[in-house]
């Protein structure tokens, strides 16, 4: 306790000494050199007594968090290795049989399936998603397609309506649904769509965002899991990105999301039969959704909200790694930033609202509750963002001014290299981009950290929902113009961080005795390039 109070007591003494020098000269004016020597001495004592101890505590805290993150990462990858070595594919764990037509029952042995496609001013992609849904191989009298259009542009509304009419003329059971407000955004649209009488006829619900294009056999591969395994509530497919090669930013997004599916989703499915629903490319059991209360719009992650509530009722989920659905990555930096804000703010806000509900739950075992609270939420959705930004973009750069504080090499080189290799395994074709990927992830960690704090403390923008812009085939047909006004493209947060890290790099290059400046120069460059929006299309 005395050790913790010592810096505070010294700070008080130093402040009183400074006032004494400024206002009480003892009857004579102190010399400039004397004041300079006194201030220099005071700075050294302040640094030794206050700044260095506090910095050591921060480094120790970061190292503890680093070990927790490393253990979690190693655990997930060991589960993935176990799946591969012992061939523990979902078809081996759960019962799966292909759908068979019954000559006597006709199509009655096929369950009724509802396909929901929510959209909002999706001019570039609505034809692709509607067309893909209408081409699904499933008896037409057992399939209902629902287009939930919240568009505000009359032209787009008319185009979507005409597209639905075109498919309806081909004997596709498709419904074009609109509402008179956008309350609840996507969750509100999905909830509104469930109110129609024909929905009550359906046993399962498949959801696809406006830029997702399922393969024709999607339902034939996913639905049998739900039919033959009554304990399953959700079948989740992975995403495949049609525009991954558009630019460097989309390549790096592909690396991040591939790792998410390979490690987080697959390990959660294999060990706990639970993971976060990705909001699209999944099939739900209607009975499980109804038992959990259906869609709720209390956060901007209605998908994760539903998954947690259903999971707390002891339903199981399964992730199918080789069932892929084509989708689109945001190729504009601004759109990507808005998406990452929602993806970090929403889970943090949901964690705030559901922690006590999870703790008091009586339906699931304590081990599963611990997994959801600690691993799924606390470590992956909150701590990892804060740690990545604070340690690699604040602590490490600042350490060049404090050579008294030694940061172990295993936390800056060896450990991060192992974690990075784990991530690259999911996208081996992008191995040569690993340095760019790490630097860009550190930049985005700043926005994710900000979003996480907004969600935790329910600050302004906590319920902000900006629909991620989709471009469809635009990039194949024409070049996208850049906004010529530089000031509108400048992101001051990235610029300020880039300048600070650049100053740290220059200081370390001039006065340091390590090669940390090599990393700092690269990280500063990544922040500055992002600061002028010189990433993406």
């Amino acid at each position: 306790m005395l050790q913790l109070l010592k810096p505070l007591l010294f700070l008080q003494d130093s402040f009183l000494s400074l006032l004494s020098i400024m206002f009480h000269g003892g009857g004579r004016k102190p010399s400039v050199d004397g004041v300079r020597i006194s201030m220099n001495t005071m700075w050294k004592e302040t640094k030794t007594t206050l700044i260095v101890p506090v910095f050591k505590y921060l480094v120790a805290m970061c190292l503890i968090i680093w070990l927790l993150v490393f253990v979690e990462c190693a655990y997930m990858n060991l589960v993935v290795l176990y799946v591969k070595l012992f061939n523990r594919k979902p078809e081996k764990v759960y019962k799966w049989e292909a759908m068979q037509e019954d000559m006597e029952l006709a199509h009655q042995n096929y369950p009724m399936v509802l396909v929901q496609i929510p959209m909002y001013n999706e001019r570039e992609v609505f034809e692709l998603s509607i067309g893909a849904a209408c081409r699904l191989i499933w008896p037409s009298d057992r399939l209902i397609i629902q287009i939930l259009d919240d568009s505000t542009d009359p032209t787009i509304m008319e185009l979507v309506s005409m597209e639905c009419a075109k498919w309806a003329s081909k004997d596709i059971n498709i419904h074009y649904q609109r509402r008179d407000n956008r309350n609840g955004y996507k969750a509100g649209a999905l909830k509104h769509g469930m109110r129609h009488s024909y929905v009550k006829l359906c046993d399962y619900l498949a959801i696809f965002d406006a830029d997702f294009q399922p393969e024709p056999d999607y339902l034939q591969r996913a639905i049998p899991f739900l039919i033959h395994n009554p304990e399953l509530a959700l079948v989740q497919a992975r995403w495949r990105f049609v525009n991954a090669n558009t630019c460097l930013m989309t390549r790096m997004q592909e690396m991040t999301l591939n790792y998410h599916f390979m490690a987080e989703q697959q390990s959660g499915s294999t060990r706990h039969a639970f993971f976060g629903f990705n909001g699209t490319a999944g099939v739900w059991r209607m009975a499980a959704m109804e038992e959990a209360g259906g869609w709720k719009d209390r956060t901007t992650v209605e998908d994760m909200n539903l998954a947690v509530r259903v999971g707390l009722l002891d339903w199981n989920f399964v992730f199918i790694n080789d069932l892929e659905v084509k989708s689109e990555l945001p190729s504009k930096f601004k759109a990507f930033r808005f998406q990452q804000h929602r993806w970090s703010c929403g889970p943090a806000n949901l964690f705030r609202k559901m922690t006590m509900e999870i703790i008091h739950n009586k339906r699931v075992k304590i081990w599963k509750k611990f997994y959801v609270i600690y691993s799924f939420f606390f470590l992956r959705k909150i701590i990892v963002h804060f740690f990545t930004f604070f340690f690699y973009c604040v602590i490490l750069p600042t350490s060049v001014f404090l050579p008294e504080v030694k940061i172990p090499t295993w936390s800056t080189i060896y450990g991060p290299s192992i974690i990075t290799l784990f991530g690259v395994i999911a996208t081996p074709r992008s191995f040569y981009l690993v340095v760019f990927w790490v630097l860009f992830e550190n930049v985005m960690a700043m926005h994710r950290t900000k979003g996480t704090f907004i969600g935790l403390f329910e600050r302004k923008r906590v319920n902000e929902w900006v629909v991620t812009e989709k471009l469809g085939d635009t990039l194949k047909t024409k070049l996208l113009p850049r906004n010529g006004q530089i000031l509108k493209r400048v992101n001051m947060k990235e610029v300020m961080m880039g300048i600070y890290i650049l100053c740290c790099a220059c200081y370390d290059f001039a006065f340091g005795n390590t090669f940390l400046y090599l990393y700092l120069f690269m990280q500063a460059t990544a922040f500055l390039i992002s600061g002028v929006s010189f990433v993406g299309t």
Side-chain angles (χ1 to χ4, degrees):
M1 188 66 181
L2 293 175
Q3 186 69 19
L4 293 174
L5 292 175
K6 187 176 178 181
L8 298 177
L9 295 174
F10 177 77
L11 187 61
Q12 174 185 318
D13 294 339
S14 300
F15 180 68
L16 293 175
S17 299
L18 178 62
L19 292 179
S20 177
I21 291 173
M22 293 176 62
F23 299 107
H24 302 283
R28 61 186 181 85
K29 185 178 180 179
S31 66
V32 175
D33 290 340
V35 173
R36 185 182 295 118
I37 292 173
S38 298
M39 295 298 291
N40 188 44
T41 302
M42 185 181 300
W43 162 247
K44 289 182 178 179
E45 291 181 356
T46 303
K47 178 181 176 182
T48 303
T49 311
L50 177 65
I51 298 177
V52 171
V54 170
F55 197 76
K56 284 183 177 179
Y57 284 127
L58 293 176
V59 170
M61 180 184 69
C62 287
L63 294 179
I64 292 173
I65 295 174
W66 189 96
L67 289 173
L68 296 177
V69 173
F70 180 81
V71 170
E72 178 71 11
C73 182
Y75 161 75
M76 291 189 296
N77 283 273
L78 285 174
V79 173
V80 173
L81 182 62
Y82 162 79
V83 171
K84 292 185 180 298
L85 289 179
F86 295 94
N87 194 28
R88 300 294 291 174
K89 291 184 176 182
E91 293 84 351
K92 303 288 185 180
V93 178
Y94 296 97
K95 184 179 179 181
W96 188 93
E97 293 179 4
M99 299 296 299
Q100 301 291 334
E101 292 193 17
D102 192 308
M103 298 301 293
E104 295 183 1
L105 296 176
H107 297 147
Q108 295 304 310
N109 63 320
Y110 281 80
M112 287 289 293
V113 178
L114 173 68
V115 176
Q116 285 188 322
I117 305 178
M119 54 179 59
Y120 174 75
N121 293 337
E122 309 287 1
R123 179 189 295 272
E124 306 293 347
V125 295
F126 73 89
E127 289 182 85
L128 299 175
S129 58
I130 294 175
C134 292
R135 295 187 187 95
L136 288 169
I137 300 174
W138 202 257
S140 59
D141 58 333
R142 312 298 290 173
L143 181 67
I144 302 174
I145 298 173
Q146 192 181 63
I147 308 302
L148 306 170
D149 187 19
D150 276 359
S151 298
T152 54
D153 186 326
T155 303
I156 298 177
M157 291 161 49
E158 181 65 22
L159 291 172
V160 175
S161 178
M162 290 173 59
E163 184 70 12
C164 293
K166 183 186 78 173
W167 286 101
S169 66
K170 299 179 181 180
D171 295 328
I172 300 295
N173 190 357
I174 185 169
H175 296 261
Y176 176 68
Q177 309 287 177
R178 284 193 52 79
R179 53 184 183 143
D180 56 7
N181 61 70
R182 287 197 68 216
N183 295 340
Y185 303 108
K186 179 182 174 181
L190 294 169
K191 185 176 182 179
H192 186 268
M194 300 293 284
R195 297 175 180 174
H196 298 279
S197 58
Y198 57 82
V199 173
K200 295 179 174 59
L201 303 174
C202 300
D203 303 293
Y204 305 110
L205 166 66
I207 303 172
F208 302 102
D209 281 350
D211 58 313
F212 277 70
Q213 305 166 53
E215 297 295 332
D217 65 345
Y218 174 85
L219 294 178
Q220 291 183 318
R221 296 183 61 186
I223 295 294
F225 281 103
L226 297 168
I227 293 176
H228 300 297
N229 301 277
E231 74 277 14
L232 285 180
L234 168 67
V235 176
Q236 173 72 60
R238 69 173 297 152
W239 304 351
R240 179 161 59 89
F241 311 105
V242 297
N243 66 331
N245 294 323
T246 297
C247 60
L248 182 59
M249 191 180 79
T250 54
R251 288 290 295 273
M252 292 184 290
Q253 289 180 68
E254 179 192 36
M255 295 172 71
T256 301
L257 289 171
N258 280 350
Y259 178 73
H260 162 73
F261 284 111
M262 182 199 77
E264 294 187 26
Q265 300 297 77
Q266 190 158 302
S267 65
S269 175
T270 302
R271 290 289 298 122
H272 308 280
F274 173 82
F275 48 83
F277 173 47
N278 292 118
T280 179
V283 184
W284 281 97
R285 186 186 298 275
M286 285 286 202
M289 293 182 64
E290 292 172 0
E291 185 181 359
W295 298 108
K296 295 185 182 296
D297 57 6
R298 57 178 173 174
T299 69
T300 56
V301 283
E302 77 297 324
D303 44 10
M304 188 179 295
N305 189 336
L306 177 62
V308 174
R309 286 185 284 112
V310 173
L312 291 178
L313 296 174
D314 208 22
W315 287 91
N316 292 342
F317 305 163
V318 60
F319 170 69
I320 314 299
N321 190 55
D322 57 0
L323 178 58
E324 299 180 338
V325 178
K326 292 187 290 186
S327 64
E328 180 181 328
L329 294 164
S331 58
K332 291 185 177 181
F333 186 52
K334 184 178 180 180
F336 182 57
R337 285 176 62 189
F338 279 125
Q339 181 200 67
Q340 294 303 296
H341 169 81
R342 188 173 76 249
W343 285 6
S344 56
C345 178
N349 191 234
L350 184 62
F351 175 69
R352 170 194 173 103
K353 293 180 176 180
M354 291 204 68
T355 300
M356 297 309 299
E357 183 178 340
I358 297 170
I359 292 174
H360 294 140
N361 181 272
K362 304 296 184 182
R363 297 280 291 270
V364 298
K365 296 180 180 179
I366 189 171
W367 171 245
K368 190 169 185 176
K369 290 194 285 187
F370 174 79
Y371 169 76
V372 174
I373 292 175
Y374 169 74
S375 183
F376 179 75
F377 271 120
F378 181 70
L379 206 57
R380 300 183 202 168
K381 303 295 187 292
I382 297 175
I383 288 298
V384 71
H385 303 320
F386 167 79
F387 164 75
T388 302
F389 172 67
F390 190 67
F391 186 62
Y392 294 107
C393 301
V394 178
I395 292 293
L396 275 184
T398 306
S399 68
V400 303
F401 302 115
L402 302 170
E404 302 93 333
V405 181
K406 303 298 181 184
I407 300 179
T409 306
W410 56 262
S411 67
T412 58
I413 299 178
Y414 305 127
S417 298
I418 295 174
I419 292 178
T420 302
L421 288 176
F422 285 155
V424 175
I425 290 173
T427 317
R429 78 185 187 100
S430 298
F431 183 83
Y432 68 99
L433 297 175
V434 64
V435 174
F436 299 101
W437 179 50
V438 170
L439 297 174
F440 185 68
E441 281 294 289
N442 289 345
V443 172
M444 295 313 301
M446 179 178 69
H447 295 287
R448 293 167 183 150
T449 300
K450 179 184 176 184
T452 299
F453 277 112
I454 290 174
L456 278 177
F457 299 104
E458 290 199 331
R459 310 308 297 171
K460 188 177 179 181
R461 294 183 64 195
V462 67
N463 291 317
E464 180 184 73
W465 184 294
V466 178
V467 176
T468 305
E469 183 179 2
K470 292 98 177 176
L471 301 177
D473 294 328
T474 302
L475 287 173
K476 300 177 183 178
T477 58
K478 63 181 179 179
L479 293 176
L480 295 174
R482 278 193 178 275
N483 189 334
Q485 299 184 31
I486 296 178
L487 291 179
K488 289 186 177 182
R489 300 208 319 258
V490 172
N491 306 306
M492 289 307 300
K493 298 181 184 67
E494 287 93 334
V495 171
M496 292 172 64
M497 279 304 306
I499 292 174
Y500 175 71
I501 297 176
L502 182 61
C503 292
C504 295
C506 293
Y507 182 89
D508 189 54
F509 178 75
F511 305 106
N513 56 3
T514 66
F515 292 98
L516 183 60
Y517 62 84
L518 295 176
Y519 159 71
L520 295 180
F521 276 126
M522 291 189 293
Q523 190 62 71
T525 302
F527 269 102
L528 292 173
I529 290 176
S530 300
V532 294
S533 297
F534 202 68
V535 290
T537 54

